[in-house]
Amino acid sequence: MKKQVTLWQDYFKGIWEINPAFKQILGTCPTLAVTATVENGIAMALATTFVLTFSSFIISLMRKLIPSQVRIASYIVVIATFVTIVDLVMKAQFPELSKSLGPFIPLIVVNCIILGRAEAFASKNGPLRSVLDALGNGTGFLIALVALSAIRELFGSRSVLGLQILPDTFEPMIVMILPAGAFITYGLLLGFSNTLAERKKRIAQEELVRKYKPVQKAGSEEIISQEA
Amino acid sequence: MELFIIFISAAVVNNFVLAYFLGICPFIGVSNKLSSASSMGMATTFVMVLTAIVSYLLYNFILVPFGLEFLQIPSFILVIASLVQFVEMVIKKISQPLYRALGIFLPLITTNCAILGLALFISMRDYNFIESVIFGVGAGAGFTLALVIMAGIREELELADVPKGFRGAPITLITAGILALAFMGFAGMI
């Protein structure tokens, strides 16, 4: 096994490098649907992280027991169990929150982030790493949802987490709370994060080229002198 | 009249993709080409109608009488998965051309949240049998409509000069936002 990755990296990569919402573009349905207010966004991200962590842990423990032909079905059953737990707990403890999130708590079952991490990571790695990976992805998802919902709530209802931030003279942009605003805000954020990543890559590449150019020149001159 | 309202509501006013954000993954993934978009739409509509029927029967005749409502999520997802598998086998036996047209898209439908969302909405809103079926047809029609419109726009977008970072998913999402704005115009219909 060529496992050079530290545990910290397993956790940290989910936050930016493979951020579920911005890099993998997974779990778009809840990302768009529940981000009208920051409160809903945080609740959704925490619920998803809970399901993700526990199902990754269980799947990773059972990865050698599950025959690969029926693995997807088995993963779904494990995930559905935890989603049911979350759904019932939310209904009992936070009835209002559960109502405002509507069918999106049960729909965590088909959230591709969870199945994606189960398939790509938990089925190949040990429990500790799987839990860290799940927590990292959950944190990344939380950051993405908070960013998106903060922008939408700020411009849509002048407040963040219910606290008014913009003055009354600011006319709220109703469109930001509506579905259209979700699509546009997510699209813009995704576009900017792609542009940023692209720029970083270009700069790294240019640096690499600059580093190697003198060596190449020296080499070619050598050849010329040899030929002469 | 009631049924007509359910149909219109599911198809355009509360469009599954543009108002409820269900089924965004195939909406972004499969809307590159018109032909594949319409195949995907057809396959999804087909499964949606079947899901509406089966989940209605399952919920009202098995889960409720035995007090098993808490098993709703796992049972729905398992039923949908086996239903999709079953549909795939039946289509393969009955019609080869249709199987070839829908083939790749059928397995993808299992993880389409629009299908599970449909089943959950039916049990949440207490639709009767006929209403459930109409709701399924309407939701499928709305999904197909959104997917086909998006594919049409994206075929034109290929020619547009989009900034590099915005190509692909970001510009699709922004376009979808504008499309959602247009669909808001239907809101006054009900």
Side-chain angles (χ1 to χ4, degrees):
Chain A
M1 293 299 277
K2 46 174 176 88
K3 195 132 286 160
Q4 303 278 313
V5 190
T6 62
L7 294 173
W8 174 246
Q9 272 170 328
D10 264 337
Y11 171 75
F12 207 69
K13 72 179 186 305
I15 292 175
W16 176 248
E17 208 181 311
I18 58 159
N19 187 304
F22 289 135
K23 288 292 154 69
Q24 305 179 70
I25 318 188
L26 291 178
T28 36
C29 307
T31 308
L32 292 165
V34 302
T35 49
T37 61
V38 179
E39 197 189 346
N40 283 358
I42 292 175
M44 185 69 203
L46 291 183
T48 310
T49 310
F50 172 82
V51 176
L52 182 60
T53 312
F54 280 90
S55 53
S56 279
F57 180 66
I58 298 285
I59 288 167
S60 160
L61 280 181
M62 303 202 304
R63 69 186 191 279
K64 292 193 179 117
L65 294 175
I66 302 174
S68 67
Q69 292 92 335
V70 293
R71 65 181 194 286
I72 303 286
S74 329
Y75 297 165
I76 294 237
V77 175
V78 172
I79 295 166
T81 312
F82 286 108
V83 173
T84 310
I85 295 172
V86 171
D87 190 31
L88 293 179
V89 168
M90 291 273 275
K91 265 188 194 142
Q93 297 293 325
F94 314 98
E96 276 158 42
L97 205 58
S98 161
K99 205 170 271 172
S100 75
L101 290 173
F104 283 97
I105 291 292
L107 279 175
I108 296 176
V109 179
V110 280
N111 189 326
C112 349
I113 297 174
I114 299 171
L115 202 58
R117 289 331 287 169
E119 172 74 15
F121 200 92
S123 61
K124 295 179 193 119
N125 291 282
L128 179 62
R129 277 177 194 276
S130 300
V131 166
L132 283 174
D133 175 73
L135 284 174
N137 273 276
T139 317
F141 192 54
L142 177 72
I143 291 170
L145 286 197
V146 167
L148 196 56
S149 56
I151 294 174
R152 282 184 69 193
E153 202 184 335
L154 181 65
F155 290 111
S157 46
R158 299 190 288 229
S159 55
V160 172
L161 271 173
L163 292 170
Q164 188 166 348
I165 291 193
L166 292 175
D168 281 334
T169 44
F170 180 82
E171 192 69 40
M173 305 178 192
I174 306 292
V175 70
M176 295 301 275
I177 314 181
L178 296 173
F183 279 116
I184 294 172
T185 316
Y186 187 33
L188 287 175
L189 279 181
L190 202 59
F192 288 131
S193 88
N194 275 357
T195 315
L196 208 70
E198 203 109 344
R199 219 180 113 207
K200 229 181 195 170
K201 216 190 317 175
R202 212 187 50 222
I203 289 172
Q205 213 165 20
E206 275 169 9
E207 210 137 89
L208 212 66
V209 169
R210 212 174 301 139
K211 227 187 207 168
Y212 279 100
K213 242 182 188 159
V215 180
Q216 219 176 14
K217 242 185 198 163
S220 57
E221 269 169 14
E222 216 168 78
I223 292 167
I224 290 166
S225 61
Q226 268 179 5
E227 276 176 1
Chain B
M1 198 56 209
E2 192 73 15
L3 293 179
F4 184 67
I5 287 178
I6 289 179
F7 177 80
I8 291 295
S9 157
V12 289
V13 181
N14 292 319
N15 187 293
F16 262 45
V17 177
L18 297 171
Y20 284 150
F21 310 105
L22 295 171
I24 302 286
C25 306
F27 180 66
I28 292 172
V30 204
S31 61
N32 298 326
K33 267 193 256 143
L34 259 178
S35 54
S36 55
S38 52
S39 300
M40 181 69 180
M42 260 161 39
T44 308
T45 309
F46 188 56
V47 176
M48 269 183 167
V49 176
L50 283 179
T51 306
I53 297 170
V54 174
S55 64
Y56 174 82
L57 296 176
L58 178 75
Y59 188 71
N60 285 290
F61 292 104
I62 297 178
L63 294 184
V64 173
F66 291 102
L68 296 172
E69 285 99 332
F70 65 92
L71 283 180
Q72 197 189 19
I73 303 166
S75 58
F76 277 175
I77 192 85
L78 281 180
V79 164
I80 291 167
S82 42
L83 197 68
V84 170
Q85 196 72 51
F86 177 69
V87 167
E88 196 180 343
M89 285 185 322
V90 168
I91 291 182
K92 198 175 178 183
K93 267 274 185 291
I94 292 176
S95 157
Q96 278 293 325
L98 189 65
Y99 177 71
R100 245 170 280 142
L102 302 182
I104 341 149
F105 300 115
L106 275 171
L108 283 177
I109 293 174
T110 316
T111 51
N112 186 338
C113 37
I115 309 278
L116 187 63
L118 180 91
L120 291 168
F121 274 131
I122 286 173
S123 70
M124 238 156 98
R125 294 179 182 174
D126 285 329
Y127 282 144
N128 66 31
F129 184 71
I130 310 278
E131 283 170 343
S132 309
V133 175
I134 297 291
F135 185 59
V137 176
F143 182 77
T144 313
L145 183 69
L147 206 60
V148 168
I149 294 178
M150 195 64 212
I153 297 175
R154 274 184 83 173
E155 283 194 347
E156 297 293 315
L157 259 180
E158 296 277 296
L159 307 171
D161 184 22
V162 180
K164 210 172 168 196
F166 278 83
R167 271 177 217 162
I171 194 71
T172 311
L173 282 166
I174 294 171
T175 319
I178 298 167
L179 207 57
L181 271 182
F183 266 70
M184 270 164 55
F186 289 115
M189 273 174 69
I190 293 184

